[in-house]
Amino acid sequence: MSNINSYEEKNAILPGVLYLVATPIGNLADLSERAIKTLSEVDFIAAEDTRNTAFLLSRIGVKKQLVSYYEHNKYERGGVICERLQSGESCALVTDAGTPAISDPGEDLVKLCIERGITVTSVPGACAAVNALILSGMFTSRFAFEGFLSANRAERKRRLEEVKNEQRTLIFYEAPHKLKQTLKDMHEIFGANRKIALCRELTKLNEEIMRTDLEGAVAYYSEHEPRGEYVLIIEKISEIELEASAFYAEMSVKEHVDHYMSQGLSKKDAMKAVARDRGVSKSEIYNELL
Ligand code: SAM
């Protein structure tokens, strides 16, 4: 266990610590005071795209050693970063935009540091997924983050099937060149009426939230070219659809009871299970069977 706040100054940069520093997803003013302090004071910065980060640093007047850490060098470079941390240097990890370790290689560096007993802490800020969710107008108390879907169509459709009956709001990241096909696949699997919020260019000048259903989204993008970065928020399955998709949807109450009895339940327990599935009282099931 590590306690990051056991020093006098809460925001002091400590030796041997990895700082996960969130950077803006489009609006430079979202870079926090603490993020600036951390980027200025660490010994070095590991960056997913050193050119992007160099630009960010020049805007805030910080000069610092940058080490590239991205998908294709993460295994070799992760070890080197850990060695430097273990020798007492402090490091800030910044990814392309937003919160490190959300749909980017930061996740692997965090795991590696934890395995090696290195303290990891966060300097929070923007995250596209959370901003899209709160702007969607959908149910936010329970949600599931699905990140990017596979570029492989069969794999993508398999994943969509898997979450079709999800009872939490779904969050997907999507690249503009894949958006049209993804919307078509979602339309096919989730159905035309499922609500969607397409959250585009968040925090930028041309931020746009389109709240519609999958039918409307497919129709719109058959006439418009997708531009910019997108987060897709999909409404959870409705109670009516969920009920219709249940395995017993096509069964009579008697067939439903027989189904459980064929699995070895007594008649009494089978009736109890049916009542629970259908959300009705046991006496209703009993009356139905008379
Ligand atoms: N770590 C980042 C975060 O905290 O959100 C996400 C990194 S992921 C590689 C990049 C994806 O995030 C984009 O393809 C897009 O789906 C989403 N994204 C990033 N910035 C966005 C923005 N300003 N508006 C909408 N989506 C954005």
Side-chain angles (χ1 to χ4, degrees):
M1 217 177 9
S2 53
N3 183 357
I4 201 72
N5 292 324
S6 58
Y7 287 72
E8 264 182 40
E9 195 198 336
K10 208 172 169 193
N11 294 330
I13 300 304
L14 307 178
V17 173
L18 176 70
Y19 293 85
L20 306 177
V21 179
T23 54
I25 56 169
N27 187 330
L28 193 61
D30 292 334
L31 190 67
S32 74
E33 195 182 315
R34 191 168 158 230
I36 296 173
K37 177 178 168 27
T38 306
L39 294 172
S40 316
E41 294 184 12
V42 286
D43 292 309
F44 68 103
I45 299 173
E48 190 180 7
D49 182 326
T50 49
R51 275 193 313 182
N52 270 356
T53 305
F55 175 74
L56 178 77
L57 295 182
S58 76
R59 295 291 297 269
I60 57 171
V62 170
K63 280 209 174 97
K64 191 67 57 178
Q65 187 198 5
L66 289 175
V67 169
S68 88
Y69 176 80
Y70 65 104
E71 192 56 36
H72 300 292
N73 74 356
K74 65 184 182 186
Y75 296 114
E76 168 264 322
R77 197 52 62 83
V80 175
I81 293 170
C82 283
E83 277 163 28
R84 290 183 67 171
L85 283 159
Q86 282 169 317
S87 76
E89 289 187 87
S90 55
C91 173
L93 173 69
V94 298
T95 44
D96 257 5
T99 298
I102 297 295
S103 288
D104 61 44
E107 165 180 18
D108 298 273
L109 187 59
V110 172
K111 267 193 219 141
L112 192 65
C113 285
I114 292 169
E115 273 165 27
R116 298 193 181 185
I118 295 166
T119 302
V120 182
T121 189
S122 68
V123 181
C127 176
V130 172
N131 283 282
L133 176 70
I134 61 174
L135 292 171
S136 68
M138 292 182 205
F139 185 64
T140 60
S141 8
R142 294 182 67 212
F143 58 87
F145 177 66
E146 284 291 321
F148 288 103
L149 286 163
S150 169
N152 174 290
R153 185 141 194 241
E155 171 57 23
R156 183 166 70 237
K157 288 176 76 171
R158 195 193 58 72
R159 173 60 71 88
L160 291 174
E161 284 288 355
E162 209 178 283
V163 295
K164 180 181 172 179
N165 293 341
E166 179 57 63
Q167 292 179 64
R168 295 170 292 178
T169 304
L170 292 166
I171 307 176
F172 296 92
Y173 282 164
E174 194 47 291
H177 65 279
K178 282 168 48 206
L179 182 78
K180 286 186 183 198
Q181 191 55 53
T182 294
L183 291 176
K184 284 185 194 153
D185 293 342
M186 287 178 164
H187 181 279
E188 184 186 320
I189 292 164
F190 297 151
N193 299 328
R194 188 75 75 93
K195 295 263 181 299
I196 179 171
L198 297 102
C199 306
R200 193 175 81 80
E201 299 287 80
L202 294 168
T203 75
K204 301 182 191 176
L205 260 182
N206 39 355
E207 171 176 294
E208 180 185 84
I209 319 291
M210 181 195 271
R211 301 177 185 88
T212 178
D213 57 20
L214 283 167
E215 175 116 56
V218 169
Y220 181 85
Y221 280 103
S222 67
E223 291 181 2
H224 298 83
E225 276 315 301
R227 283 219 179 83
E229 301 196 88
Y230 287 83
V231 183
L232 308 178
I233 307 290
I234 302 279
E235 184 186 43
K236 70 189 179 84
I237 191 168
S238 69
E239 294 302 325
I240 296 168
E241 271 182 288
L242 189 64
E243 180 73 16
S245 71
F247 75 91
Y248 53 82
E250 303 292 312
M251 293 180 183
S252 67
V253 169
K254 179 170 182 321
E255 285 166 340
H256 197 172
V257 172
D258 288 346
H259 161 81
Y260 279 123
M261 288 175 70
S262 72
Q263 293 186 342
L265 261 62
S266 67
K267 187 165 184 186
K268 193 171 159 217
D269 285 341
M271 283 165 54
K272 227 197 254 177
V274 170
R276 191 192 51 227
D277 282 352
R278 296 184 180 235
V280 298
S281 67
K282 273 180 290 171
S283 57
E284 272 180 72
I285 300 299
Y286 179 79
N287 289 337
E288 189 80 30
L289 292 179
L290 283 179

